[in-house]
Amino acid sequence: MLATAAARSPSVAVDRPPISPRARDDEAAQTMRRVAETLALVADAVPVQRRLLRPGDAVYQAGQRFTHLHLLNAGFVKVVNLSADGRDQIVGLKFRGDWLGFDGIADGVHGCDAVAMDTGEAWSLPYDALVDACAQRPRLMGKLHRAMSRESARDRHSLMSVCTLPADARVAEFLRNWAQSLSGRGLRADQILLRMTRAEIGNYLGLTLETVSRALSRLARERLIEFSDKGRRDIHIRDADALAAFVQLSLAPDLSVLQ
Amino acid sequence: MLATAAARSPSVAVDRPPISPRARDDEAAQTMRRVAETLALVADAVPVQRRLLRPGDAVYQAGQRFTHLHLLNAGFVKVVNLSADGRDQIVGLKFRGDWLGFDGIADGVHGCDAVAMDTGEAWSLPYDALVDACAQRPRLMGKLHRAMSRESARDRHSLMSVCTLPADARVAEFLRNWAQSLSGRGLRADQILLRMTRAEIGNYLGLTLETVSRALSRLARERLIEFSDKGRRDIHIRDADALAAFVQLSLAPDLSVLQ
DNA sequence: CGGGCGTTTGAATCAAATCAATTGGAGTGG
DNA sequence: CCACTCCAATTGATTTGATTCAAACGCCCG
């Protein structure tokens, strides 16, 4: 856990928009609208090739030439980065409405694998055609840019979690993010069916599989989550706010000092 | 340190382009050319507002409305993410030729502070004008997209380092990246003048300042780096390859098994 | 000179990794 | 149906590496 704050001159302080408790709901609605708009806008701008995904299918693979961007219309995809020495790490999880393939734009070759973890559907868009379409339609370009920017922001956020949170809170935050992704897409967010092993979760969070298992057990013991009868991959979140509070708590261990 | 690899079906294996030892040099040349091109291309496409930076100046701040993207023409900038609870974390370091401000595109408001750590110069470009220019010039749009994609790739890479490397290797990797950034801009890469405190480095790497200090001492003891007479922030890299090898080594502790 | 800050270094503590054993389910075949 | 294997998951005991707490040093600057 980090103790040290970056030095920051007090003179650059500025008003930060407060994050209201109901911002979450608005965000969910926004996300849904955005996804629908994107799908519609893209559909009549470029030739879309729909592609059915089965668990284990690769949407694209590291080393492949980059030709298409993809929109995930259904399902759930993990993005895996393989380093030169053969080690790999899950660097992103993608849900409905997310774009896939931005990593290939930089140098024309994909740097990651994108692997479906569930049946789903990807819309593949030829990048060149998309660029042309963007030149015609500023709104489409705006959407694309915002999607890329949002992806960065998310990466940044997950980086912060990984760096600053202790193991239990990291797992809690992982579940919270998952639930949020679900609710942002209009799905029920209190029931999560993990389609990943403990090892994969650990890989994603920078923990060992044993630590993930222990963390889940502790969260269950604290009654923050509940395992369903169906198995230990089916998790019920009784109280999302309590989960969020738990994460916050482990960031500020002694708030008694503040008051 | 991670032990577990993500499950990956063997069927999706694909040829990965090998990273040759001279790829580094090519990349440096490429980077320089790219930076020069970008500066030129942008200059006559949109109204550029040059802005002198002094250490501590904010290029932009979290909470501000997003209006401009910035190109860093000289100097060195840290990007700081402040979370709701007041904690902050350095999420990026920017050098000459890097873009600044992508994080604001997503929702029209900046989510980070970008603070100069050195005298320098930023070129500020009105985003709207830039979008218009992109619609006219596909090459400019390509440049912009590639820059955004490259930023993601870098974030991803630093995420992996933070997740997988032990403290010493993390610091070594930090220095290696810094040196690479310098050489990519045509500057001498064997002499690094850190303009960050140990606390800031630790914040960036997910370590405490003491651990950073110890790691640097150990690297110096191993003769992988050398402190200059001028002070403990001035670091000489005697052998960049040895540094890289050190990082690799801590990923694969027992290569004896392989042979 | 003395105070403040950044840095180094040591000793004790603690959280997560590692090592190891066991349990639980899903699938297979006798 | 049961015995069997295989793999995921859990749980415990131990070790390790980073943090924490603490002290001291070097340095710049008023």
Side-chain angles (χ1 to χ4, degrees):
Chain A
M1 201 177 347
L2 287 209
T4 55
R8 209 172 129 264
S9 60
S11 62
V12 295
V14 79
D15 314 78
R16 323 247 172 236
I19 295 165
S20 76
R22 67 168 41 265
R24 182 76 40 79
D25 299 332
D26 296 351
E27 198 183 310
Q30 259 182 39
T31 306
M32 271 199 291
R33 186 155 17 84
R34 172 165 48 73
V35 169
E37 273 180 22
T38 304
L39 295 179
L41 195 56
V42 154
D44 58 38
V46 298
V48 175
Q49 183 187 343
R50 291 167 191 244
R51 184 166 153 212
L52 203 72
L53 300 175
R54 315 252 324 146
D57 285 356
V59 181
Y60 58 83
Q61 291 174 56
Q64 275 183 350
R65 219 172 97 63
F66 164 75
T67 54
H68 291 69
L69 283 175
H70 313 270
L71 258 171
L72 191 58
N73 186 41
F76 162 47
V77 168
K78 68 174 175 182
V79 182
V80 186
N81 189 313
L82 345 207
S83 51
D85 52 13
R87 271 156 209 274
D88 48 10
Q89 174 162 16
I90 300 179
V91 294
L93 298 176
K94 303 293 176 182
F95 296 87
R96 172 165 206 263
D98 285 337
W99 290 80
L100 287 165
F102 289 147
D103 64 272
I105 296 179
D107 50 6
V109 176
H110 284 291
C112 305
D113 289 356
V115 181
M117 309 223 60
D118 191 9
T119 57
E121 190 190 55
W123 294 12
S124 297
L125 319 166
Y127 179 63
D128 293 340
L130 192 64
V131 165
D132 291 346
C134 281
Q136 310 301 320
R137 307 169 201 233
R139 290 201 43 208
L140 184 57
M141 177 151 49
K143 277 224 166 294
L144 189 61
H145 286 181
R146 278 193 294 278
M148 294 179 81
S149 174
R150 207 172 305 112
E151 188 182 72
S152 294
R154 242 218 256 181
D155 290 352
R156 202 182 349 273
H157 184 254
S158 74
L159 176 69
M160 277 200 64
S161 303
V162 162
C163 280
T164 61
L165 293 177
D168 289 10
R170 231 181 268 189
V171 173
E173 173 72 359
F174 167 74
L175 294 173
R176 215 184 56 72
N177 277 330
W178 192 303
Q180 198 175 331
S181 293
L182 291 183
S183 81
R185 275 133 247 242
L187 306 168
R188 65 178 299 193
D190 60 337
Q191 201 70 20
I192 294 181
L193 179 55
L194 294 175
R195 288 193 169 78
M196 308 167 72
T197 65
R198 304 291 192 249
E200 283 176 315
I201 298 171
N203 179 293
Y204 182 51
L205 298 177
L207 301 170
T208 59
L209 68 101
E210 293 97 328
T211 303
V212 173
S213 178
R214 277 184 246 270
L216 287 170
S217 297
R218 275 189 291 260
L219 292 176
R221 208 170 305 136
E222 309 273 345
R223 318 241 78 201
L224 286 166
I225 64 172
E226 220 168 47
F227 290 110
S228 111
D229 322 341
K230 315 247 177 94
R232 311 240 133 13
R233 292 218 191 159
D234 201 358
I235 289 176
H236 176 69
I237 296 180
R238 6 179 69 241
D239 182 359
D241 292 336
L243 207 58
F246 175 77
V247 173
Q248 285 305 110
L249 198 73
S250 43
L251 277 173
D254 48 341
L255 71 168
S256 56
V257 170
L258 292 175
Q259 287 292 30
Chain B
M1 201 177 345
L2 288 210
T4 55
R8 210 173 129 264
S9 60
S11 62
V12 294
V14 79
D15 315 80
R16 324 251 171 231
I19 295 165
S20 76
R22 68 167 41 264
R24 184 72 43 79
D25 297 333
D26 295 351
E27 197 184 310
Q30 259 182 37
T31 306
M32 271 200 290
R33 186 155 17 85
R34 172 166 48 74
V35 170
E37 274 181 21
T38 304
L39 295 179
L41 196 54
V42 154
D44 59 36
V46 298
V48 175
Q49 184 187 343
R50 290 168 191 243
R51 184 164 153 214
L52 204 72
L53 299 175
R54 317 252 323 145
D57 286 355
V59 181
Y60 59 83
Q61 292 174 55
Q64 275 183 352
R65 219 171 97 61
F66 165 76
T67 54
H68 291 69
L69 283 174
H70 313 270
L71 257 171
L72 190 58
N73 186 40
F76 163 47
V77 167
K78 67 174 174 182
V79 181
V80 186
N81 189 311
L82 343 213
S83 52
D85 52 12
R87 273 157 207 274
D88 49 9
Q89 174 161 16
I90 301 179
V91 293
L93 298 175
K94 303 293 176 182
F95 296 86
R96 172 166 207 265
D98 285 337
W99 290 81
L100 287 166
F102 289 147
D103 63 273
I105 295 179
D107 50 6
V109 176
H110 284 291
C112 305
D113 289 355
V115 181
M117 309 223 60
D118 191 9
T119 57
E121 189 190 55
W123 294 12
S124 296
L125 319 167
Y127 178 63
D128 294 339
L130 192 63
V131 165
D132 291 346
C134 281
Q136 309 301 319
R137 306 169 200 233
R139 291 201 43 205
L140 183 57
M141 177 151 49
K143 277 224 166 295
L144 190 61
H145 286 182
R146 278 194 293 278
M148 294 178 81
S149 174
R150 207 173 302 111
E151 188 182 72
S152 293
R154 243 217 255 179
D155 289 353
R156 200 181 351 272
H157 185 253
S158 75
L159 176 69
M160 277 200 64
S161 303
V162 162
C163 279
T164 61
L165 294 176
D168 289 12
R170 231 180 268 191
V171 173
E173 174 72 359
F174 166 75
L175 295 173
R176 216 184 55 73
N177 277 330
W178 192 303
Q180 198 174 330
S181 292
L182 291 184
S183 81
R185 271 115 193 146
L187 306 167
R188 65 177 298 191
D190 59 338
Q191 202 70 19
I192 294 181
L193 178 54
L194 294 174
R195 289 192 168 77
M196 308 167 72
T197 65
R198 303 292 192 247
E200 283 176 315
I201 298 171
N203 179 292
Y204 182 52
L205 297 177
L207 301 170
T208 59
L209 68 100
E210 294 97 327
T211 303
V212 173
S213 177
R214 277 185 246 269
L216 286 170
S217 296
R218 275 189 289 260
L219 292 175
R221 208 170 305 135
E222 310 273 345
R223 319 241 77 203
L224 286 166
I225 63 171
E226 221 168 46
F227 290 111
S228 112
D229 321 341
K230 314 244 176 95
R232 281 136 243 84
R233 294 221 191 156
D234 202 359
I235 290 175
H236 177 69
I237 297 180
R238 6 179 69 239
D239 183 359
D241 292 336
L243 206 58
F246 175 77
V247 174
Q248 284 306 110
L249 199 72
S250 43
L251 277 173
D254 48 340
L255 71 168
S256 56
V257 170
L258 292 174
Q259 287 292 31

